[in-house]
Every structure is written in C-alpha cells, then in structure tokens.
Amino acid sequence: MDEKVEHIIERDEKALGSSMKIRLFPLVAESAKQNIITDVDGKEYVDFTANWGVASTGYCHPKVVESIKKQAEKNTFSSYTTVLTESGVELAERLIELVPGDFEKKVWFGLSGSDANDCIAKMVPLATKRNRIISYFGAYHGQTMGSLSMSGHTAQAKFVGSGNVVKIPYPYCYRCAFNKNREDCKLDCLQFLEEHVFKTVCPPEDTAVIIVEAMQCDGGDVVPPAEYMEELEKICKKYGILLACDEVKIGIGRTGKLFGFEHFNLTPDAVVFGKPIASGMPLSGVVARKEVLDAGIATHLFTTAGCPVSTAAANATLDVILNEGLIQNALEMGEYI
Ligand SMILES: Cc1ncc(COP(=O)(O)O)c(C=O)c1O
C-alpha cells in the first residue's frame, strides 16, 4: 500500500464504526473521471463496480457537474417538505411520464433506497387499509427498519423486523426452493403462494402489497422467468394486492431498459428508485398510484429530501442517460460480457 493511502486507512479504522463499512479493497479516492478513480497517491483504478451501481453516468459527467454547480451557486438547500423548487417539480413530472401505467401517479422523494422502500412499507398499508406485506427470501431493500423488514438477505438476519411481512421464495430456477427444474415446474413457487401462504399466515384480503426486485440483485443476480413475473401480476390483480418493484439497483438504464421490470410484460403500481438517479447526490424516490402517496399528509418525510442540488443533478442525470445512448450501451455491453 502506498504511504498516504495506508495512513488514511489507519485513521479511518480508528475514527469510523464498522457498522457502516464493507471494505473490499484499500482504495482512498482523491478524484474520479468517467470510469477511472484516482487514489490519494495518484494510482488509477478502472471502476467495474460503478460504486454499488450508482455511477451510471460515470464520474463527474460534465453535464451533471454543470447542473450541480449552477444550482449550488443559486441555493444549496431548501426543504422540499415546505419550500418547493422548479427542478423538483420538473423531476417529478418527468418520472411520472417515464414510469409506465395508465393511471394517476404521484412522486415521493427521499434520500436513499432504504427510506424509499420504507415509503412502500408505511404508505401502502395506510392507503389500502390492509396491513400485511409479502416480500422475498434473498431480497435486499435496505437498512432502515421498514426496508430491512422486507429484506430477506443474510445481511439483516441479525435483526428482527416488523411482524407484518411474510417472505416467499424468489423464482431462482438454478437453486429452486422446491427442487424443480424449469422444464418440469408449473411455477410451483406461485402455487405455494396461493395454496399455502394465502391460506395460512397471510390472507390475501389483508395483504397490501407484494414488493419484488424484477431481478434480484444482492440475492445473487437472479433473473426470474418472464412467466413468473406476469403470473405474479395476475395474482395481485385477482386479490386487489398492489405490486411494487424495487428498481433501486436495476433501474434507470442499467439493464438495457429504463426500468428492469420492462423486460417483462408488467405494470407495477409502485416503483422505487435510488442509487444512480442523481449520479450519487443523495436522492431516492417512489412513483406510485396517486392514492398511495396521497394517503396522509406528512406521513413519510425527510427534511433534506428533494434538496435542489440533488434534483438538479437528477434532471441532468436523466438527460445524459436518455439522450447519450447509455441504455443502448448497457444492452450491448451486457450482451458482449
Ligand atoms: C435493490 C436495492 N434496494 C434498496 C437498496 C438500499 O439502498 P440504499 O443503500 O441507498 O439505502 C439497495 C442497496 O444496495 C438495493 O440494492
């Protein structure tokens, strides 16, 4: 390890708690451009990780930087809870336009994927007057109490979450929970949902929402069979259960479509986004049926959410992703890799 890197790592070990760390390599960033991170000793790294899927526009894209600078010179902060900004409204309108669904939608802004998934955990039960939630083994929805309750990941196995969440197996055909092969299976995992889960611990008439990653990321990068997702939507419709897609990691162009669920014939009632939306400035959000996000005034809000620097960064990020061929590039590179 070079001298400066080593010294800063020693200081970090003393000063910062391990609860906020996943340290996979000794990297202390000084600057970053496009896909290159330069450390404090001048060593360059090609970033194949996109920093946990956030750096979809690369580092310091000139359009994003310009938009942040312009906004920061005017005003670095006002709380969207009370003082609205044009860039916030513009971003919300664009998201409503971009998310499919022939029904009235609204937008909620937060700071991280976790608080956005908490929005689902709180607002859908409130809106539907049904208190149960279904989520998946292997799911990762975040670290706050609502989102960790819906997660089924080993990372949160040490915590006891909220008791209203029932978890079902993800359609992971390579390691099928029902020991089936795709060829001899009749979507047994969905039969399990209807025949066992609904008939025992989670009556469908009490179930507000099923939250799913249209491709399970931290659970192993699992792509479900298309029929599963489509049948799941039918089951939701049959019982009046809302379907929420967590797009925090696969959304905003990463999979070669704007949203990962667009690989399936699916129209979710709520879409959760985060990570790359503002090129790393803190911003997350939910686009959902109007009645979900209007279910109660001041029921899920964060003081710094929707801050103008973040919404300005997000508008520029969307411009770059939509207008500079990044989605097509993701598709082509995905095929190639
Ligand atoms: C699918 C998914 N949802 C939610 C989250 C939580 O996002 P955040 O870490 O920004 O709170 C993550 C983070 O990795 C994620 O991958």
Side-chain angles (χ1 to χ4, degrees), residues 97-123:
E97 210 43 46
L98 290 169
V99 171
D102 196 10
F103 43 80
E104 264 198 277
K105 286 170 247 151
K106 281 202 166 179
V107 173
W108 172 94
F109 288 138
L111 298 159
S112 75
S114 303
D115 64 21
N117 280 312
D118 265 53
C119 179
I120 300 295
K122 285 169 70 181
M123 297 309 297

Side-chain angles (χ1 to χ4, degrees), residues 32-51:
K33 275 256 147 57
Q34 297 182 343
N35 61 345
I36 305 287
I37 302 177
T38 306
D39 80 5
V40 284
D41 290 307
K43 196 187 276 177
E44 292 187 341
Y45 293 81
V46 182
D47 178 14
F48 280 95
T49 74
N51 244 311

